[in-house]
């Protein structure tokens, strides 16, 4: 079965072709340059850019997969959560194409796409824990089966990606900043500065990164930071990685689950990858990450999630664009 996936939930325009769960093409057009001068994504600019590029991206996903539009059996599109204007461009394009090709249209949660992305090219038996760390989200789920997700931890404020991006902005490193901090941190000392590892007393699983951001601001502006950029990057990154590992390893014990999947833009982080791997395997567990191309937003994970839902016999979701769309049920207090 050939599924054409479309993803436009934020600032990346993407289309992909997935055949029986295998990625044939995955084309992503990043808008980073457009938003860089504003230090964050500007929703109106994002929607307008999606509109300009979507047709070309679709055509190139089809041609790179070596197929024709008439070979497509179904279309999968991100229906939410995300920026409303951005989502609407993808959903409208998908609706038009499904009508033209007379094929079914499947709505997919962006979060489900991320959570299942480590399985596109990797394997992990169910149930498993899924840590989703991106620019828009930071949550930990217990994946009991495909379509059955329990949110067991979530950030109370900023996401991990936002923390990276805001730190990069403070350090004058541009937007988005996760990748630059990752690169600089490789040459810095992770213990150069003792940044806080926040904990919510009433909920030991909860995450919070806004205090860390303030601590960096304070360090730079009130304490006359003397450390190198590399040391600051490494220490800041370590504070995020420590907290993410703490919540994952606690959840392994709490839920007696040994398998962990890590997904989302921040799962590309090299320090998170190496430390998570050693901490989880030291506890007798196994961990999988998506390949780097499937960490940040992409349509292959959307088409692959739609395929997995189909083969698991799950009903397809509607395609109404929805900006707020939580995944599964929540164990944690809101
Ligand atoms: O999943 P994604 O493309 O978008 C959302 O769904 O939000 O994630 C983007 C985020 C950005 O905050 C970016 O700085 C972060 O992922 N990111 C990284 C790395 N690569 C991307 N953060 C840390 N280390 C990286 N190597
Ligand atoms: Zn995302």
């Amino acid at each position: 079965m050939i599924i054409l996936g479309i993803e436009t939930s934020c600032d990346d325009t993407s289309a992909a072709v997935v055949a029986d769960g295998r990625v044939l093409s995955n084309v992503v057009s990043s808008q980073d340059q457009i938003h860089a001068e504003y230090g964050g994504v500007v929703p109106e600019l994002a929607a307008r850019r999606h509109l300009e590029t979507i047709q070309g991206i679709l055509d190139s996903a089809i041609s790179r997969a070596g197929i024709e539009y008439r070979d497509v059996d179904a279309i999968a599109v991100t229906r939410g959560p995300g920026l409303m204007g951005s989502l609407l461009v993808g959903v409208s394009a998908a609706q038009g194409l499904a009508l033209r090709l007379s094929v079914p249209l499947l709505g997919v949660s962006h979060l489900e796409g991320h959570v299942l992305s480590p399985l596109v090219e990797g394997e992990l038996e169910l149930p498993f824990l899924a840590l989703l760390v991106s620019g828009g989200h930071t949550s930990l789920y217990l994946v009991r089966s495909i379509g059955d997700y329990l949110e067991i931890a979530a950030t109370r404020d900023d996401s991990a990606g936002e923390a990276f991006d805001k730190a990069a902005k403070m350090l004058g490193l541009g937007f988005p900043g996760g990748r630059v901090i990752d690169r600089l941190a490789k040459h810095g000392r992770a213990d150069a500065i003792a940044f806080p590892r926040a904990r919510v007393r009433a909920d030991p699983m909860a995450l919070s990164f806004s205090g860390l951001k303030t601590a960096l601001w304070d360090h730079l502006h009130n304490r006359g930071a003397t450390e190198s950029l590399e040391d600051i990057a490494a220490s800041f990154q370590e504070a995020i990685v420590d907290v993410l590992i703490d919540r994952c390893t606690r959840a392994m014990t709490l839920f007696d689950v040994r398998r962990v999947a890590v997904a989302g833009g921040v799962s590309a982080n090299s320090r998170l990858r190496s430390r998570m791997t050693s901490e989880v395997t030291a506890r007798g567990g196994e961990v999988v990450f998506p390949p780097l191309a499937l960490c940040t937003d992409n349509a292959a994970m959307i088409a692959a999630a739609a395929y997995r839902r189909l083969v698991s016999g799950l009903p397809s979701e509607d395609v109404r664009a929805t900006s707020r769309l939580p995944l599964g049920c929540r164990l944690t207090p809101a």
Side-chain angles (χ1 to χ4, degrees):
M1 164 172 251
I2 294 187
I3 301 182
L4 173 62
I6 301 175
E7 153 66 44
T8 62
S9 66
C10 189
D11 61 336
D12 290 315
T13 318
S14 180
V17 175
V18 168
D20 295 333
R22 208 167 51 85
V23 182
L24 298 188
S25 68
N26 183 34
V27 181
V28 183
S29 166
S30 160
Q31 301 182 2
D32 285 352
Q33 272 191 331
I34 294 174
H35 303 285
E37 70 174 286
Y38 303 96
V41 177
V42 183
E44 290 75 16
L45 295 182
R48 200 178 313 154
R49 188 69 185 147
H50 283 310
L51 208 51
E52 287 162 5
T53 50
I54 186 90
Q55 191 57 52
I57 299 295
L58 281 163
D59 292 345
S60 117
I62 292 287
S63 74
R64 284 195 209 175
I67 63 161
E68 307 278 344
Y69 275 105
R70 62 171 179 272
D71 300 323
V72 171
D73 297 308
I75 293 175
V77 63
T78 302
R79 67 181 191 111
L83 301 171
M84 200 55 183
S86 292
L87 288 166
L88 280 170
V89 177
V91 166
S92 311
Q95 282 170 325
L97 204 50
L99 261 178
R100 201 180 98 205
L101 303 174
S102 298
V103 295
L105 182 53
L106 315 166
V108 178
S109 151
H110 180 77
L111 304 184
E112 188 172 22
H114 272 305
V115 161
L116 300 181
S117 64
L119 306 186
V120 176
E121 292 183 10
E123 274 181 39
L124 201 60
E125 245 179 73
L126 290 156
F128 60 82
L129 295 165
L131 174 68
L132 168 53
V133 270
S134 70
H137 301 89
T138 294
S139 295
L140 181 62
Y141 299 94
L142 176 63
V143 180
R144 293 178 287 208
S145 63
I146 304 301
D148 181 358
Y149 312 104
L150 181 67
E151 188 190 79
I152 56 182
T155 181
R156 295 280 178 106
D157 39 59
D158 292 353
S159 69
E162 241 176 305
F164 272 111
D165 292 341
K166 286 179 178 158
K169 196 174 171 185
M170 283 184 226
L171 296 168
L173 301 173
F175 171 85
R179 213 177 321 145
V180 192
I181 293 190
D182 187 352
R183 196 168 352 106
L184 283 171
K186 288 193 174 114
H187 309 286
R189 289 178 301 129
D191 60 355
I193 307 159
F195 283 122
R197 276 75 169 149
R199 180 158 298 164
V200 178
R201 198 168 297 154
D203 178 7
M205 289 300 289
L207 294 133
S208 165
F209 295 108
S210 63
L212 174 61
K213 183 181 66 188
T214 313
L216 174 61
W217 176 267
D218 181 56
H219 189 77
L220 295 177
H221 298 276
N222 300 329
R223 294 176 197 275
T226 51
E227 302 81 3
S228 67
L229 204 50
E230 286 80 2
D231 280 354
I232 298 175
S235 303
F236 185 86
Q237 173 178 273
E238 201 71 1
I240 295 180
V241 170
D242 269 352
V243 167
L244 296 176
I245 287 174
D246 174 79
R247 301 307 186 271
C248 279
T249 49
R250 271 169 192 268
M252 285 174 75
T253 311
L254 267 173
F255 294 90
D256 195 21
V257 176
R258 302 278 125 213
R259 293 171 292 270
V260 181
V262 187
V266 179
S267 72
N269 185 269
S270 58
R271 182 74 175 159
L272 177 63
R273 284 181 172 234
S274 66
R275 285 211 42 222
M276 186 70 88
T277 303
S278 52
E279 299 276 352
V280 170
T281 49
R283 289 167 175 79
E286 69 179 299
V287 59
V288 290
F289 298 87
L292 291 184
L294 300 185
C295 289
T296 44
D297 291 348
N298 68 88
M301 70 181 189
I302 300 303
Y307 178 71
R308 243 172 221 281
R309 288 185 66 92
L310 277 179
V311 296
S312 305
L314 291 169
S316 64
E317 298 193 314
D318 75 55
V319 292
R320 239 172 321 139
T322 314
S323 57
R324 294 178 74 81
L325 186 66
L327 182 66
C329 29
R330 180 173 273 168
L331 185 71
T332 48

